[in-house]
Amino acid sequence: VSKVIYINGPSSSGKTTLRKNLQERLGPDDHCFLQNDAKKDSLDTQDRDWFYWQEVSPSGRTLKVGPKARATWMGLVRSTVGLLEAGNRVIVDDVCFEGLWQLQEWKNALSPYPTLFVGLTCPPSILDTRESERGDRMVGSARVQAGIVHGMEDEDYRALEKEDGFYDLMIDSAALDPDECVEAVINAALFKHMNESTQQS
């Protein structure tokens, strides 16, 4: 399996469930994990150092990122590289709140290491329902994040999985059950490893 499994998606798309199930399937000592969950409560408190809502038209509002949140995210990237340099395998559970430049930052930082890039999404109505059930998120924030975190302005993610796209695998977590999501990631990692081994031989 890949040295790094990188998972990016909006809040409530199922990233943490997927990460936990992957760790259980691969073995608890096989991959450590890093999670972008810094100051999530500030989505409710409008902290401009972390996260805040900005009114826009015609969509209504968008989520903005402050300097402390951005600096914490950069620390996540550098911490991941540090763990890899020390010989660890890593699963990254991330939310790229500012989209494309962050995805490219990950691509550059992880380029020396065998990495499987996984994008997670699901329909906005499902995101709203999951947020309501969790009770610790502002309902509607995941819907706003859904396209942005993948570097897209809309919900057409198909280009992201093409040969020249960012992700090796895109998963709709509403279309697959948790076990099927794990199988999809493991199969994609094995397929990528086999392809890279063939190209090197």
Side-chain angles (χ1 to χ4, degrees):
V1 179
S2 303
K3 187 84 169 176
V4 189
I5 299 174
Y6 172 80
I7 306 167
N8 177 48
S11 173
S12 300
S13 60
K15 300 182 303 301
T16 300
T17 298
L18 176 58
R19 185 264 299 168
K20 289 179 178 178
N21 290 341
L22 279 168
Q23 284 186 294
E24 183 177 339
R25 175 70 178 273
L26 298 171
D29 298 326
D30 191 78
H31 284 71
C32 55
F33 80 93
L34 287 172
Q35 182 176 19
N36 180 5
D37 214 10
K39 200 68 174 177
K40 65 185 179 185
D41 57 316
S42 65
L43 290 175
D44 289 320
T45 59
Q46 288 288 89
D47 187 339
R48 286 181 173 267
D49 283 333
W50 291 90
F51 302 102
Y52 61 97
W53 294 101
Q54 184 177 82
E55 298 300 318
V56 295
S57 59
S59 59
R61 61 181 181 175
T62 189
L63 187 65
K64 305 296 287 185
V65 178
K68 289 183 179 178
R70 195 173 293 115
T72 301
W73 181 87
M74 287 301 304
L76 177 70
V77 177
R78 292 169 185 169
S79 296
T80 301
V81 173
L83 284 168
L84 292 166
E85 288 176 345
N88 297 285
R89 294 178 181 271
V90 182
I91 299 174
V92 179
D93 174 349
D94 193 22
V95 182
C96 285
F97 287 104
E98 294 187 299
L100 199 57
W101 79 265
Q102 292 178 305
L103 293 173
Q104 192 57 55
E105 192 75 27
W106 277 115
K107 202 80 166 181
N108 294 339
L110 299 178
S111 60
Y113 308 97
T115 302
L116 185 77
F117 290 95
V118 180
L120 218 58
T121 188
C122 67
S125 61
I126 302 296
L127 293 174
D128 290 344
T129 299
R130 290 177 178 175
E131 281 183 317
S132 296
E133 291 173 348
R134 292 175 70 167
D136 63 348
R137 297 290 192 276
M138 180 183 289
V139 176
S141 63
R143 178 186 287 264
V144 172
Q145 298 166 25
I148 295 171
V149 300
H150 296 303
M152 308 288 283
E153 292 300 323
D154 54 35
E155 298 167 23
D156 187 2
Y157 308 119
R158 289 170 293 180
L160 294 171
E161 204 179 0
K162 293 179 180 179
E163 186 174 343
D164 58 347
F166 179 80
Y167 296 112
D168 299 298
L169 176 67
M170 284 290 296
I171 295 176
D172 180 346
S173 64
L176 301 177
D177 66 34
D179 288 337
E180 290 172 330
C181 290
V182 170
E183 286 297 325
V185 172
I186 291 175
N187 289 337
L190 292 173
F191 180 77
K192 184 173 184 178
H193 175 72
M194 290 174 60
N195 275 353
E196 290 173 346
S197 298
T198 301
Q199 291 172 4
Q200 292 171 3
S201 61

